[in-house]
Amino acid sequence: MHGPEFGSYAPEDVSWLLKDLSDADLEADVTERERRIQAGVAHYAESLPVEFQPDAEYRELFDRVLADSAERLALAVATVAELVIAERGENIVLVSLARAGTPVGVLMRRWLTSGIGRAPLAVPHYAVSIVRDRGIDAVALDYLARHHDPSSIVFVDGWTGKGAITHELTAALDAYHAAGGARFNDELVVLADPANCVRTYGTRDDFLIASACLNSTVSGLVSRTVLNDTLIGPGEFHGAKFYRDLIGADVSNQLINTVTAAFDVIGDKVTAAVDAIRNSDRTPDWSGWASVEKVRAEYGISTVNYVKPGVGETTRVLLRRVPWRVLVREADAPEHAHIRLLAAARNVAVEVVPDLAYSCMGLIKELSR
């Protein structure tokens, strides 16, 4: 599927390998949904949270964050895109993991087609679903294998939290191949890797990626993906909703166009940034996961699934889960000003932990306790 029939991105920016569930009633009260997930009677991918719509103050903050971070985002996008080309060649197909990976995939494609510093490349970009504990959409993999050389597929995500999706992708692609499917390269490419769990990234800084600030209104008006046996039959893609009713609040293309406009500014910095990464020790050490385990133990949390590290993941906790508290390394760090606003709006305590491995962490409330 393509915009504008599905999603608000331009049709050339992304092809959604998803089933349209826009007319399905999938939203549930956030607290009740969380209770069912934690009780083990429902999986998070079977339903959707009601999309939180921020107030005017928060929207103004998003505009400031985007303006202030556009060049930093543009450099990270260009760096990771050129790193991929340097190591995988020019014949690539970008496949973003919906939905956090999709704005990054759109931006990587925009950079590679821009002609800045190189001849423009025609790079297809798809978005597919991956679900923790359920794997990647095998029907989407079948489609990709029929239409492209599997070795050319590059999987893209927005950022790493503790590294769960990195594990999930490898396990899912191994299972797909073992079942008779094609062999895909399981290396995950991300804009930011604060978890130190991938080799190909634009930065390892835990900084604010503007696309993490909002839900569908910064992701093409598309919901997070859904895997529900009552709606998804054999041979069908995983599903998602297109929130047409939110078009008046949509800033998806504002983000894409603002960052794209900054490409010319950062163009002469890209080669040095790529060389710096290629000349460094990029071996994943999974230090992010270790720090999450430490926090889980210190706060008496039953599973690492309730500890969400990094700016992006903490934002998600506040936007669509039931938060217990937020941990921050510095009380007034600019990269989580929006998180402090969201925490105040939801009456969530913010605790300063000076030796925190990430800029911040969001802790999900355990409703069974």
Side-chain angles (χ1 to χ4, degrees):
M1 296 186 291
H2 303 87
E5 289 77 21
F6 186 87
S8 62
Y9 290 127
E12 64 271 18
D13 275 336
V14 61
S15 300
W16 301 93
L17 299 187
L18 295 169
K19 179 180 179 180
D20 188 356
L21 300 179
S22 300
D23 296 328
D25 184 12
L26 286 164
E27 287 77 13
D29 172 77
V30 173
T31 302
E32 180 56 30
R33 179 176 180 272
E34 188 71 41
R35 196 181 308 278
R36 288 175 56 79
I37 292 169
Q38 292 189 16
V41 299
H43 190 274
Y44 79 90
E46 293 172 346
S47 64
L48 294 169
V50 176
E51 290 253 335
F52 172 81
Q53 295 306 311
D55 58 19
E57 182 183 10
Y58 188 86
R59 265 301 314 277
E60 289 172 8
L61 177 63
F62 169 82
D63 291 339
R64 291 200 304 275
V65 163
L66 179 56
D68 292 345
S69 64
E71 290 182 18
R72 189 177 185 185
L73 274 169
L75 181 57
V77 166
T79 299
V80 71
E82 291 298 335
L83 190 57
V84 169
I85 296 300
E87 299 186 341
R88 299 280 295 270
E90 295 184 353
N91 181 30
I92 61 165
V93 177
L94 299 175
V95 177
S96 59
L97 304 181
R99 89 185 147 177
T102 306
V104 176
V106 171
L107 286 167
M108 289 176 67
R109 180 194 165 276
R110 287 278 189 100
W111 168 262
L112 292 171
T113 60
S114 71
I116 299 173
R118 63 157 55 252
L121 296 179
V123 179
H125 173 219
Y126 298 91
V128 304
S129 169
I130 188 168
V131 176
R132 196 186 71 237
D133 304 327
R134 302 285 177 89
I136 198 167
D137 186 344
V139 178
L141 294 182
D142 291 342
Y143 179 96
L144 293 169
R146 286 197 305 270
H147 291 84
H148 302 281
D149 179 350
S151 67
S152 70
I153 302 298
V154 177
F155 292 101
V156 175
D157 208 355
W159 58 84
T160 58
K162 52 184 173 282
I165 291 298
T166 310
H167 278 309
E168 190 74 44
L169 180 64
T170 296
L173 293 178
D174 285 348
Y176 178 79
H177 180 59
R183 167 55 77 186
F184 290 89
N185 187 324
D186 71 339
E187 183 174 32
L188 184 62
V189 169
V190 299
L191 188 65
D193 178 37
N196 278 43
C197 66
V198 301
R199 292 187 71 259
T200 307
Y201 51 84
T203 179
R204 276 183 165 159
D205 293 341
D206 183 20
F207 81 106
L208 174 56
I209 300 170
S211 60
C213 288
L214 297 164
N215 281 315
S216 67
T217 52
V218 79
S219 304
L221 292 181
V222 174
S223 73
R224 53 161 311 283
T225 59
V226 173
L227 182 55
N228 185 319
D229 290 343
T230 64
L231 297 168
I232 309 296
E236 293 186 321
F237 295 131
H238 294 189
K241 297 183 75 165
F242 172 27
Y243 289 121
R244 293 176 178 85
D245 57 310
L246 297 179
I247 196 163
D250 187 30
V251 292
S252 304
N253 288 297
Q254 177 188 338
L255 181 142
I256 298 301
N257 294 334
T258 301
V259 176
T260 300
F263 286 162
D264 280 324
V265 181
I266 56 87
D268 60 354
K269 301 177 183 178
V270 178
T271 299
V274 172
D275 289 345
I277 292 176
R278 296 194 77 185
N279 293 329
S280 67
D281 181 2
R282 293 186 277 155
T283 307
D285 63 11
W286 296 87
S287 56
W289 196 289
S291 66
V292 167
E293 285 284 8
K294 180 183 176 185
V295 167
R296 184 203 63 76
E298 288 178 353
Y299 284 83
I301 298 168
S302 62
T303 169
V304 292
N305 289 341
Y306 300 155
V307 182
K308 302 294 185 179
V311 175
E313 293 301 298
T314 303
T315 305
R316 283 176 161 187
V317 170
L318 289 161
L319 286 175
R320 67 190 200 203
R321 302 297 293 269
V322 179
W324 174 41
R325 68 178 68 186
V326 170
L327 311 182
V328 298
R329 190 165 53 206
E330 300 173 37
D332 301 310
E335 63 263 27
H336 50 64
H338 73 294
I339 285 172
R340 298 193 299 274
L341 268 182
L342 287 173
R346 299 197 63 182
N347 295 314
V348 176
V350 177
E351 181 178 332
V352 178
V353 182
D355 63 346
L356 202 64
Y358 293 78
S359 173
C360 56
M361 288 189 183
L363 308 183
I364 294 172
K365 186 175 184 180
E366 296 194 60
L367 300 176
S368 59
R369 294 191 173 188

